[in-house]
Amino acid sequence: MTPRSFKALRPIVTAAWASVGLLVLAGPAIAQDSDRYAFTQEYDPSPALWELSDEDTTIYMLGTIHLLPEGFRWRNPQLDAIIEEVDTLVVETSDADAEGAMEPMAEKIANMLESRTPTSRQLSPASQSAWRELVGQTGMPFEYVDSLPVMVALMGFGQTGFGTDPSSYEYGVETILEREFAKTRRPVESIESVAHVTYSLFREDEAAILRELDLELRKWSGKSVSLLNDEADEDLRGDDYWAMEHAWARGEVGDDFDLGFGDGKIAETFRSVLLDRRNRRWAGWLEERLEQPGTLLLAVGAGHFEGSDSVLARLEQRGLRARRIN
């Protein structure tokens, strides 16, 4: 997993690692290479917006990036007017709802970890030393990471992979929006329970995942914790480094969303858990929400609006069409 894809997954990663008692990257990193992370925005921001409505309900939908560097511009008059207009903000899981969300799952997760055979004992001898070295580069305790399901461990590697990247949840879209709605005492709701999504990661069948991990470890260069896209961003600097953020701020919507896990079973599992299943549930939630009068803003990760399994595509399967409005 690369630091770039991690920005699209931060709420789930945070919940997954908090649930097992480890949480890294609590705040923004301090950039040691200011030239590498410098950016310019010689354009007017216009992130993609859609409208889903009926006679008495209007739902605006904004694709977001959960982590951004300080000073990165993404607001414009149209978006500001919508933010001022709506009655309610809906995010993936609000900060308030996330607090203590994993507590009901704690005993189940603890039992799973206790009964699970450590990853190192399920790898071939050729891969065991590479696995130990990989975990060592994260700075996290080997025995504990070794006890985690591979999917949860790889998400944690994404957190440590940030290095000096100055992006932070503090400057992310949802964080800023939640603060603004709190100031105006308007409600902030969640479209899902972060506990439900996180727990599903612990329940995935690991047989094929472990086989792929074994193969990847044999190919791993040892130079980066980005196991599946090793050193993918090492040479990017300046605006090239922030290409994903710039494309999003300009309103570009891709034909697909690359989570950054390459191809194979690991990528397939992450896509299923983090995108496909959620998009299907969210489309159902949106259809039901149309039955309630009012105006709201749905602000969720931009990747959920890209590809053939996007929220937009799932809505169309239900006979609903969201209209792009910017």
Side-chain angles (χ1 to χ4, degrees):
M1 181 176 180
T2 69
R4 315 301 295 147
S5 60
F6 166 64
K7 294 183 180 184
L9 306 175
R10 175 63 187 263
I12 302 302
V13 177
T14 300
W17 276 77
S19 70
V20 295
L22 288 175
L23 187 60
V24 293
L25 197 64
I30 300 175
Q32 301 297 320
D33 187 347
S34 58
D35 289 339
R36 180 183 184 190
Y37 299 115
F39 59 85
T40 59
Q41 289 185 273
E42 297 178 353
Y43 56 85
D44 294 325
S46 184
L49 283 163
W50 293 266
E51 178 187 321
L52 179 68
S53 60
D54 61 14
E55 295 81 1
D56 58 3
T57 307
T58 298
I59 302 174
Y60 297 106
M61 297 187 289
L62 168 68
T64 70
I65 292 186
H66 303 310
L67 291 90
L68 288 169
E70 184 177 11
F72 194 91
R73 296 185 297 111
W74 52 273
R75 306 280 288 258
N76 61 35
Q78 180 191 27
L79 178 55
D80 285 341
I82 289 173
I83 292 169
E84 185 176 349
E85 170 195 351
V86 300
D87 307 314
T88 304
L89 171 67
V90 180
V91 295
E92 293 177 27
T93 300
S94 71
D95 290 342
D97 289 342
E99 291 183 13
M102 294 304 301
E103 289 180 9
M105 303 289 188
E107 185 175 354
K108 291 181 179 180
I109 290 175
N111 290 337
M112 285 183 179
L113 297 181
E114 185 176 352
S115 62
R116 181 180 182 273
T117 302
T119 298
S120 59
R121 287 168 50 189
Q122 301 186 67
L123 296 173
S124 65
S127 298
Q128 289 173 1
S129 60
W131 173 244
R132 184 174 291 274
E133 183 180 349
L134 177 66
V135 175
Q137 288 191 17
T138 70
M140 293 182 281
F142 176 78
E143 288 75 15
Y144 200 67
V145 175
D146 199 38
S147 72
L148 298 175
V150 172
M151 307 302 290
V152 178
L154 289 178
M155 292 185 82
F157 294 174
Q159 296 202 57
T160 62
F162 256 131
T164 56
D165 181 320
S167 297
S168 169
Y169 195 51
E170 183 74 10
Y171 310 120
V173 175
E174 290 90 339
T175 302
I176 292 173
L177 290 177
E178 285 200 50
R179 285 192 196 129
E180 292 190 18
F181 275 72
K183 286 180 180 178
T184 55
R185 298 187 177 182
R186 286 177 292 171
V188 177
E189 300 179 1
S190 304
I191 197 171
E192 68 183 3
S193 166
V194 70
H196 175 86
V197 182
T198 303
Y199 187 56
S200 65
L201 283 171
F202 284 84
R203 298 184 61 187
E204 288 296 317
D205 186 343
E206 289 197 277
I209 293 168
L210 282 159
R211 287 195 295 271
E212 184 173 315
L213 176 65
D214 198 284
L215 291 173
E216 293 293 339
L217 285 167
R218 296 183 205 181
K219 298 185 292 184
W220 181 55
S221 70
K223 296 180 180 180
S224 168
V225 297
S226 299
L227 179 65
L228 300 175
N229 282 285
D230 202 14
E231 304 175 77
D233 302 316
E234 290 297 313
D235 298 326
L236 298 178
R237 303 183 68 83
D239 287 323
D240 289 336
Y241 182 86
W242 300 107
M244 178 182 74
E245 288 81 355
H246 287 312
W248 163 75
R250 290 188 179 103
E252 298 175 15
V253 179
D255 294 333
D256 197 9
F257 181 66
D258 182 7
L259 279 172
F261 302 106
D263 300 316
K265 184 61 179 178
I266 292 174
E268 177 187 325
T269 302
F270 270 125
R271 175 166 288 279
S272 175
V273 173
L274 300 176
L275 289 176
D276 297 349
R277 297 180 197 172
R278 298 167 77 198
N279 291 345
R280 188 179 298 111
R281 289 196 300 270
W282 293 1
W285 184 96
L286 286 162
E287 183 175 24
E288 292 181 3
R289 190 57 184 258
L290 281 174
E291 299 176 3
Q292 303 178 35
T295 305
L296 61 92
L297 172 63
L298 173 68
V300 296
H304 292 283
F305 296 97
E306 298 183 352
S308 59
D309 294 319
S310 69
V311 170
L312 303 173
R314 294 298 186 185
L315 284 170
E316 289 188 0
Q317 291 172 2
R318 293 172 173 268
L320 300 170
R321 183 179 178 274
R323 178 175 64 93
R324 183 152 179 188
I325 59 173
N326 67 348

